Amino acid sequence: MEPVMTVNLSRLIQTMKESAKIGAIPGGGLRRLSLSVEDKAMRDLLREWMIDAGLQVRLDDFGNMYGRREGRNKDASVVMVGSHLDTQPEGGIYDGILGVLSALEVIRVLNENDIETERSIEIVNFTNEEGARFEPPMLGSGGVAGIFSENYVRERKDQEGKLYGEELENIGYAGTPENRAQNIYRFLELHIEQGPILEEQKISVGAVEGVQGMNWLEVIVSGDPGHAGTVPLNHRKDALMSAAKMALAIQHIAKETDEFAKVTIGRMQLKPGSTNCIPHEVVFSIDIRHPNDDIRERVVELVRERISTIALLDGIDIQIKDLWEIKSTLFSEDIVQLVQQGAKEHGYTCRVMMSGAGHDAKYIHHIAPSGMVFVPSVNGKSHCKEELTHWEDVEKGANVLLYVVQNLANKEDSDLYEC
Ligand code: GLV
Ligand code: MN
Ligand code: MN
């Protein structure tokens, strides 16, 4: 039997460390918001690496970057593998990045071993997965999957009012619709877990069976303006005091409804935002998640009812906007099995698990069977500079990815799939 191939860990570490310099923030994390100058610098480097690896590089109209390694059968559907290179405002160096750069490592290993595959392999960097600059998240993969129209994506605005479409052109990464991902046989994404399960259970590899559903809401609370020193407390309509009651109520609802329900208020803005002014407007986001769609929908309904009641009792106005919703996804069973098989071949511990975070694979699964490999996150931390995955775990995840890609790239076009 042929020995199982492995990645070159020191090369992968070196590549990850090069990425960790672009947008580095004090303390070791990254600020590389989508379509920023840092994102452009990272894209330039990826393009160079892809060309050096002999890949045909192309860009689509959402700014997604692809690098293609031709297979023996040029017409066969392709194995696509990748993730995203953008980060949160104070993000880590692994989230998404590991998925793109380990895909590149897979290509490098195949190249240096002169391995041909039946199907072509395409590596991909999707634009704006994080949703940190342009809401909602996963705009590049969602665009390709037909979830979002080109106009919708191009018109997304950041907090300063800058448009996705214009910013994409400004950094020189706007491509064409003909270049969108198509004819995909399977899509694969290696990612850090971003939660504590693998580490707690001392398991090296997660075979991801699906992604939990989520809602993003935006709430605008409007009260009355006034002077901090003159208006008696019982004469005020202080928008922040009402928002604070809402925040506590939301957390209470989640805890009371189900142990797996999660709610987060991740951004909040006050107007006018001055120490001696009563806040007359507060705008805040709510992120609501649960693996079971019925329970998630119930939490959303309870949240709506409760914050509307608080607004009524406080005599202030409230507007609740639906920003985004995705349902739970179950990935392709054959990929879950192949990931488990890859881990077994290498002698790694592995478990099947759901993802708490959203991923590009979720949207790509709408157009092609998709799957994911997880590696442990130290202390379950991510979306922060403390994000860490040990290199020995990175190596295991990348080896499993290599195994699965190689296997799929030589599979026949036989089994049809319905999404
Ligand atoms: C993506 O990072 C998410 O919000 O889960
Ligand atoms: Mn990610
Ligand atoms: Mn993320």
Side-chain angles (χ1 to χ4, degrees):
M1 213 177 72
E2 292 207 1
V4 193
M5 278 177 51
T6 53
V7 298
N8 179 335
L9 180 63
S10 48
R11 180 172 56 199
L12 179 53
I13 293 175
Q14 190 50 39
T15 310
M16 290 289 291
K17 286 188 172 167
E18 287 299 316
S19 152
K21 292 179 190 163
I22 303 177
I25 53 173
L30 277 177
R31 177 184 174 87
R32 197 158 69 207
L33 298 178
S34 193
L35 310 184
S36 62
V37 286
E38 293 81 15
D39 187 19
K40 176 190 167 11
M42 185 64 231
R43 285 163 175 264
D44 291 348
L45 187 56
L46 177 68
R47 173 148 60 186
E48 207 179 294
W49 284 335
M50 291 202 290
I51 292 168
D52 286 350
L55 301 179
Q56 299 156 36
V57 179
R58 66 178 204 273
L59 294 173
D60 72 18
D61 48 335
F62 302 107
N64 299 317
M65 298 174 71
Y66 308 90
R68 180 179 173 103
R69 184 180 193 267
E70 211 67 74
R72 271 187 295 268
N73 182 353
K74 293 182 174 34
D75 300 324
S77 50
V78 305
V79 174
M80 182 164 280
V81 46
S83 189
H84 61 96
L85 293 171
D86 64 321
T87 75
Q88 291 288 333
E90 296 176 14
I93 68 163
Y94 305 86
D95 178 353
I97 299 156
L98 179 61
V100 179
L101 300 186
S102 55
L104 178 67
E105 176 56 28
V106 166
I107 299 289
R108 288 170 168 171
V109 173
L110 296 177
N111 285 352
E112 68 196 359
N113 288 284
D114 286 327
I115 300 204
E116 277 198 335
T117 53
E118 190 60 20
R119 297 170 184 283
S120 301
I121 300 171
E122 290 189 357
I123 71 172
V124 58
N125 166 34
F126 287 114
T127 307
N128 195 74
E129 189 276 347
E130 293 291 5
R133 181 169 180 199
F134 300 98
E135 295 184 352
M138 291 140 55
L139 284 172
S141 50
V144 159
I147 309 291
F148 307 124
S149 70
E150 189 188 343
N151 271 350
Y152 175 83
V153 173
R154 289 183 59 85
E155 283 166 14
R156 293 306 88 212
K157 282 189 188 144
D158 69 6
Q159 295 290 322
E160 291 171 23
K162 292 187 179 157
L163 292 170
Y164 181 112
E166 286 176 12
E167 292 296 275
L168 179 59
E169 271 145 32
N170 287 344
I171 65 159
Y173 275 87
T176 56
E178 309 82 75
N179 283 342
R180 290 183 193 173
Q182 50 186 299
N183 199 19
I184 308 170
Y185 177 64
R186 297 286 187 273
F187 173 72
L188 288 161
E189 185 170 0
L190 170 64
H191 208 282
I192 54 169
E193 180 204 333
Q194 308 184 265
I197 297 169
L198 291 174
E199 186 186 47
E200 271 172 19
Q201 299 183 355
K202 298 192 173 26
I203 291 174
S204 303
V205 173
V208 185
E209 61 180 337
V211 176
Q212 69 179 347
M214 50 195 115
N215 290 69
W216 279 15
L217 308 179
E218 185 176 76
V219 183
I220 303 170
V221 183
S222 308
D224 280 347
H227 192 291
T230 57
V231 184
L233 293 184
N234 57 359
H235 284 209
R236 295 185 185 192
K237 287 187 179 175
D238 181 328
L240 179 63
M241 290 304 134
S242 299
K245 289 182 205 166
M246 291 174 192
L248 292 175
I250 288 167
Q251 200 191 34
H252 186 72
I253 289 167
K255 282 186 176 165
E256 291 294 300
T257 308
D258 189 272
E259 60 170 320
F260 295 113
K262 299 203 175 56
V263 291
T264 306
I265 296 180
R267 65 173 165 82
M268 185 177 269
Q269 283 124 356
L270 268 59
K271 275 190 190 160
S274 171
T275 304
N276 47 1
C277 291
I278 299 167
H280 66 84
E281 185 181 278
V282 175
V283 181
F284 64 93
S285 59
I286 315 179
D287 176 311
I288 301 172
R289 307 190 189 202
H290 197 282
N292 177 303
D293 287 334
D294 292 337
I295 300 178
R296 174 178 50 81
E297 281 162 18
R298 193 157 81 242
V299 173
V300 173
E301 265 329 290
L302 289 169
V303 163
R304 277 181 201 290
E305 273 169 34
R306 188 75 191 112
I307 63 179
S308 303
T309 306
I310 291 170
L312 195 69
L313 291 173
D314 284 356
I316 54 156
D317 289 333
I318 187 175
Q319 223 187 311
I320 306 171
K321 292 188 192 166
D322 286 300
L323 295 184
W324 183 57
E325 176 177 15
I326 55 169
K327 293 194 186 305
S328 287
T329 301
L330 281 183
F331 284 139
S332 216
E333 185 56 32
D334 65 346
I335 302 183
V336 177
Q337 280 169 14
L338 211 46
V339 171
Q340 290 173 284
Q341 191 179 311
K344 194 167 166 208
E345 288 286 334
H346 281 285
Y348 305 150
T349 47
C350 179
R351 66 158 281 175
V352 174
M353 63 192 299
M354 281 294 280
S355 170
H359 297 289
D360 293 308
K362 193 248 136 49
Y363 275 152
I364 298 305
H365 190 61
H366 287 251
I367 52 169
S370 302
M372 296 187 74
V373 182
F374 271 179
V375 285
S377 293
V378 173
N379 295 320
K381 284 212 182 297
S382 77
H383 283 186
C384 56
K385 60 185 179 352
E386 289 77 13
E387 183 177 286
L388 175 66
T389 294
H390 295 303
W391 293 122
E392 67 204 58
D393 290 325
V394 164
E395 180 177 29
K396 290 175 182 170
N399 280 338
V400 171
L401 186 73
L402 172 62
Y403 177 92
V404 176
V405 171
Q406 228 193 323
N407 190 299
L408 289 171
N410 288 311
K411 267 207 195 325
E412 296 292 310
D413 230 344
S414 53
D415 47 343
L416 282 174
Y417 173 85
E418 284 175 29
C419 294

